[in-house]
Amino acid sequence: MKPGISAEDLYRLKFVSDPQVSPDGEKVAYTVKRINKDKNYESHLYICTLSSGATVQWTRGSHNDTSPRWSPDGKLLSFVSDRSGKNQIWLISAEGGEAEQLTSSEGGASSPVWSPDGKSLLAAITVKKKTDGENRLRPLEVTELQYKADGRGMLKDEYSQLFLIDRETRNETQLTSGPNDHFGAEWSPDGDKIAFSKSRTNEDTVSYASDLVIQQLGGEEKIVSHGTGAFTDPVWSADGEYLAYFGQTFEHGSATLGNLHAVHLDSGVTVCLTKNFDEHAGDAVIGDMHYGHPAPKAAWSKDRKGLYFIATLNGNSSLHYATLEGEVSQITKQDCHLYGCAVDSENDYAIFAASSPVIPGDLFYASLSNSAEEVRLTDVNSEVLSEIDLSHPEEFRFTNDEGNSVQSWLLKPPRFEEVKKYPLVLEIHGGPHGMYGNTFFHELQMLAASGYVVLYSNPRGSYGYGQQFVKGCMGDYGGGDYRDLMAAVDYVLAHYDFVDMEQLVVTGGSYGGFMTNWIIGRTSRFKAAVTQRSISNWLSFYGVSDIGFYFTKWEIGYHLFEDPEKLWQHSPLRLSNRMDTPLLILHGEEDYRCPIEQAEQLFIALKQQDKKVKFVRFPKADHNLSRNGDPGLRVARLQFIVSWFDQQLEELENKGGAILENAAADRV
């Protein structure tokens, strides 16, 4: 009998991403990432010949090789590698051989983009402000709202600038400047201009606001996006007439759906291709294996009358097509998480990277004109998956108190027996505007393998079900979203008699951590809880989070100085005197998104009231510990969760047994 998946199996799993089709349409380059137990993460380049299916590993070693990009003639691949100690751009022949280092920038280089003639590349290079005593400890002078960022730490006058790299001479020419990050660059078809996104990091705005800019190479810049928002991933039509891009204007704050736009460059007229789509243009599926994969840009059709793009809806992300007139259709039909894609419109196919609940991530072929033609190209985890038993989720839906259908899933233990009773763990996603879906989620599989039935659901506030649904929790944290989650639990207890209603536990991270805190402050039906990287106090979150100064108003409705009582009413810390559920608090020391003081406040409040609580602090870990953190800490975190649930339920069972024995003795 095969075992279920374990925490340590993280070290054995592989993940495929970033497919790139060669100019002749005959090959696809891609990356395969794995977790090296001793040396953190590593990834390598692979090339698959589509006609034969033959796959060759192109790079090796204990380093990270990412972002493969074909030269226009198909003879070279550029890629990003840390093999020299810092991320730089390298070149390697498409026929094989040794790689050559192209850049040697002090700040590192990334995001290579070939010029149409193949003689140069664009690269994003981090430029630091020169100071005296560079290596000496010095004060950080803060004058802006945005002075820190999760995963980056304190922002010290370092910005990503675009450089032109001559392939032959290796000369580097800086094309952009100023206190802004520049990213997502794309050449015009004639090679005379570039389009890119330019952040607004030094303005009184949100941390990811950006403009879309066209620059005459090395010359004048022109903003082509309209209004304040996030405008990214420009892509030119082959005739240079249009520039398409993703964008949103924060109309509904962080709950605003992403849209696909196209601007006619001569007239300046911009159209939103997904205006009537009412779903998110982009990938919003949540998982713990896919963090950091590059989001693919939209791709123009062969006739230049529309674009292919990824969209999120109903538990899936899929390839869609939008015409310039705003008609949207779905191309791929699998129930899956499609997170990477390369479109070859000339040859009528796409290569996409996708995951399902039992596939961590592989490549697939899809015809653009025949939706029935989808073929799997890789199976990178065949060996490890042949040795373990994974669970297949069962989907169900229920109608909430507003008449909306709430999509949910139940994951049973691998060796499930209908006659047994099982404990149930309610998992709550972060965001809150993310979406659980048909993707591989190691943590959920591991909990099921540990003997738990796992319930995960998309309450109001989740992407995938239209604009009204995704903004449904704003200003109402702990209201309708709480009722949706409790309704999901009630539905399971009413329809599945193998769940033990006396053995319910709950966990979640970020917003899911907030909701875990809120739940145990509102009900005692859960016998154990684990809160991860959570929010407990909106009053202090406003000033300590790297996004608190705008996210608080977006989500709760007010700034601290506008209505502090409203913030306090939505703070789980206020309910600490009602929290009788044994609670494990997990938090990263360097989390700037939900800073660790949120956990500290909750721990002290509970401990002083003699509640059952334990606090685990993860060193050098930021908000994304569960997705890209230190491998050893990731495994330890999973072990803490399972052991806490097991311990609390065992103590409850022993206590119940002792009560029965005492009652029997009293009767005698």
Side-chain angles (χ1 to χ4, degrees):
M1 184 178 295
K2 294 187 292 185
I5 202 166
S6 69
E8 292 83 354
D9 281 326
L10 266 179
Y11 302 137
R12 306 173 63 198
L13 295 171
K14 298 175 183 178
F15 168 63
V16 172
S17 70
D18 203 9
Q20 298 291 320
V21 176
S22 61
D24 61 9
E26 296 180 359
K27 298 178 180 180
V28 57
Y30 59 97
T31 65
V32 177
K33 182 172 74 173
R34 62 182 289 267
I35 300 177
N36 186 315
K37 182 177 181 180
D38 301 316
K39 297 182 179 180
N40 218 331
Y41 298 82
E42 63 181 45
S43 60
H44 299 294
L45 309 187
Y46 287 70
I47 293 180
C48 174
T49 301
L50 297 176
S51 59
S52 66
T55 298
V56 179
Q57 183 173 345
W58 220 246
T59 63
R60 301 179 184 274
S62 56
H63 39 252
N64 269 304
D65 297 333
T66 62
S67 305
R69 298 295 183 267
W70 296 92
S71 61
D73 61 8
K75 294 180 178 180
L76 290 172
L77 276 171
S78 64
F79 63 99
V80 178
S81 179
D82 63 358
R83 60 183 63 195
S84 62
K86 184 172 289 188
N87 278 341
Q88 302 290 350
I89 296 173
W90 293 67
L91 301 177
I92 191 170
S93 170
E95 300 299 322
E98 292 296 320
E100 297 181 14
Q101 187 170 340
L102 181 64
T103 63
S104 301
S105 302
E106 181 183 350
S110 63
S111 308
V113 187
W114 287 90
S115 63
D117 62 10
K119 294 180 179 180
S120 57
L121 297 92
L122 290 175
I125 293 177
T126 300
V127 177
K128 302 180 181 180
K129 181 179 179 180
K130 298 296 183 182
T131 60
D132 295 329
E134 189 70 36
N135 296 322
R136 290 186 302 183
L137 196 64
R138 62 188 181 94
L140 175 66
E141 300 178 52
V142 177
T143 59
E144 307 293 341
L145 277 171
Q146 299 171 36
Y147 67 90
K148 61 182 178 180
D150 188 66
R152 295 174 63 184
M154 297 296 166
L155 304 178
K156 302 176 181 178
D157 294 321
E158 298 177 1
Y159 298 98
S160 177
Q161 306 292 352
L162 297 178
F163 282 70
L164 182 68
I165 315 297
D166 188 284
R167 182 164 67 88
E168 294 298 329
T169 66
R170 307 303 203 250
N171 288 338
E172 301 178 2
T173 303
Q174 186 170 340
L175 301 177
T176 62
S177 61
N180 310 86
D181 286 318
H182 303 76
F183 55 96
E186 186 88 359
W187 290 88
S188 63
D190 59 14
D192 290 338
K193 296 178 287 294
I194 57 173
F196 54 88
S197 296
K198 181 178 182 178
S199 72
R200 294 184 169 192
T201 49
N202 276 345
E203 295 188 13
D204 235 1
T205 183
V206 302
S207 60
Y208 58 97
S210 59
D211 295 317
L212 199 71
V213 176
I214 291 179
Q215 182 197 92
Q216 194 72 33
L217 197 61
E220 185 177 325
E221 293 184 0
K222 177 185 178 182
I223 296 177
V224 295
S225 53
H226 299 287
T228 299
F231 305 102
T232 62
D233 302 306
V235 56
W236 302 78
S237 60
D239 55 11
E241 188 175 352
Y242 285 92
L243 188 70
Y245 58 94
F246 292 113
Q248 58 124 311
T249 56
F250 309 137
E251 180 183 358
H252 304 288
S254 50
T256 309
L257 296 178
N259 281 298
L260 179 62
H261 304 264
V263 55
H264 186 268
L265 295 174
D266 285 342
S267 68
V269 174
T270 300
V271 294
C272 179
L273 281 61
T274 52
K275 181 179 180 180
N276 300 316
F277 183 44
D278 197 30
E279 296 294 353
H280 179 64
D283 171 21
V285 179
I286 289 175
D288 57 2
M289 294 294 294
H290 311 105
Y291 185 83
H293 66 83
K297 296 184 176 185
W300 285 91
S301 60
K302 184 177 180 179
D303 59 12
R304 297 187 292 282
K305 293 182 178 180
L307 294 106
Y308 299 95
F309 67 102
I310 294 176
T312 297
L313 64 159
N314 291 313
N316 298 307
S317 56
S318 311
L319 186 64
H320 287 65
Y321 177 72
T323 68
L324 292 176
E325 289 74 35
E327 297 178 5
V328 179
S329 56
Q330 186 172 338
I331 303 299
T332 59
K333 304 298 184 181
Q334 290 188 42
D335 285 336
C336 70
H337 173 200
L338 191 156
Y339 55 85
C341 189
V343 172
D344 186 339
S345 59
E346 290 294 323
N347 294 300
D348 192 46
Y349 73 86
I351 304 297
F352 63 90
S355 173
S356 78
V358 294
I359 299 176
D362 273 302
L363 288 187
F364 296 79
Y365 168 97
S367 168
L368 297 176
S369 57
N370 182 0
S371 61
E373 190 177 352
E374 296 182 18
V375 180
R376 186 172 178 175
L377 299 177
T378 66
D379 191 0
V380 298
N381 289 292
S382 58
E383 181 177 353
V384 61
L385 295 184
S386 69
E387 298 171 359
I388 58 178
D389 194 0
L390 293 177
S391 298
H392 294 255
E394 177 181 338
E395 180 185 336
F396 67 92
R397 294 175 184 250
F398 63 90
T399 303
N400 68 8
D401 56 16
E402 288 192 339
N404 295 313
S405 176
V406 179
Q407 189 176 23
S408 310
W409 293 266
L410 209 61
L411 199 62
K412 302 173 186 176
R415 292 172 294 281
F416 174 79
E417 297 179 41
E418 196 78 40
V419 296
K420 285 187 176 181
K421 289 278 191 179
Y422 292 90
L424 178 139
V425 54
L426 170 63
E427 273 267 6
I428 308 169
H429 68 62
H433 312 298
M435 183 188 75
Y436 278 136
N438 292 303
T439 192
F440 185 85
F441 210 127
H442 173 258
E443 179 177 329
L444 305 187
Q445 288 284 350
M446 187 217 64
L447 286 168
S450 301
Y452 291 84
V453 171
V454 184
L455 166 62
Y456 51 109
S457 182
N458 286 328
R460 67 193 76 179
S462 303
Y463 273 127
Y465 312 95
Q467 183 63 77
Q468 288 302 116
F469 192 86
V470 75
K471 71 175 190 176
C473 67
M474 299 180 76
D476 188 40
Y477 269 44
D481 47 1
Y482 168 77
R483 295 194 298 275
D484 283 356
L485 291 167
M486 294 304 97
V489 175
D490 292 339
Y491 181 95
V492 169
L493 294 178
H495 292 82
Y496 301 95
D497 57 9
F498 51 79
V499 173
D500 188 341
M501 66 181 300
E502 298 300 324
Q503 294 196 44
L504 307 180
V505 298
V506 59
T507 187
S510 195
Y511 164 80
F514 158 84
M515 187 54 69
T516 298
N517 299 338
W518 187 264
I519 285 171
I520 65 172
R522 291 287 304 274
T523 177
S524 59
R525 72 191 302 186
F526 295 92
K527 307 309 178 186
V530 180
T531 185
Q532 307 170 52
R533 58 191 186 280
S534 72
I535 295 174
S536 66
N537 183 355
W538 285 100
L539 292 166
S540 62
F541 176 86
Y542 170 83
V544 298
S545 168
D546 65 340
I547 62 172
F549 63 90
Y550 63 88
F551 188 79
T552 303
K553 172 122 182 174
W554 278 356
E555 298 297 317
I556 304 301
Y558 296 92
H559 289 306
L560 169 68
F561 49 82
E562 293 175 335
D563 192 344
E565 182 58 29
K566 172 71 170 175
L567 272 60
W568 182 239
Q569 286 302 310
H570 289 277
S571 297
L573 189 66
R574 178 178 63 85
L575 307 174
S576 63
N577 64 325
R578 299 173 56 183
M579 295 181 182
D580 296 318
T581 303
L583 179 65
L584 173 65
I585 302 172
L586 306 179
H587 220 108
E589 295 276 6
E590 298 180 4
D591 188 337
Y592 285 6
R593 184 59 40 84
C594 297
I596 199 167
E597 62 87 32
Q598 295 285 305
E600 292 170 334
Q601 291 185 68
L602 185 59
F603 173 74
I604 292 300
L606 293 176
K607 195 67 178 176
Q608 192 165 41
Q609 297 175 75
D610 202 28
K611 308 282 189 176
K612 191 167 188 178
V613 61
K614 181 178 180 179
F615 184 16
V616 180
R617 306 169 66 112
F618 293 88
K620 298 182 179 179
D622 61 27
H623 197 63
N624 292 305
L625 167 63
S626 65
R627 299 178 280 255
N628 72 342
D630 174 86
L633 293 182
R634 286 183 66 175
V635 169
R637 169 189 156 273
L638 293 168
Q639 292 170 335
F640 273 118
I641 294 171
V642 173
S643 64
W644 181 259
F645 287 152
D646 287 350
Q647 178 187 347
Q648 303 315 310
L649 293 182
E650 183 180 354
E651 289 180 6
L652 183 67
E653 186 177 350
N654 291 339
K655 182 179 179 180
I659 292 174
L660 290 175
E661 289 179 9
N662 291 336
D666 290 341
R667 287 196 298 272
V668 173

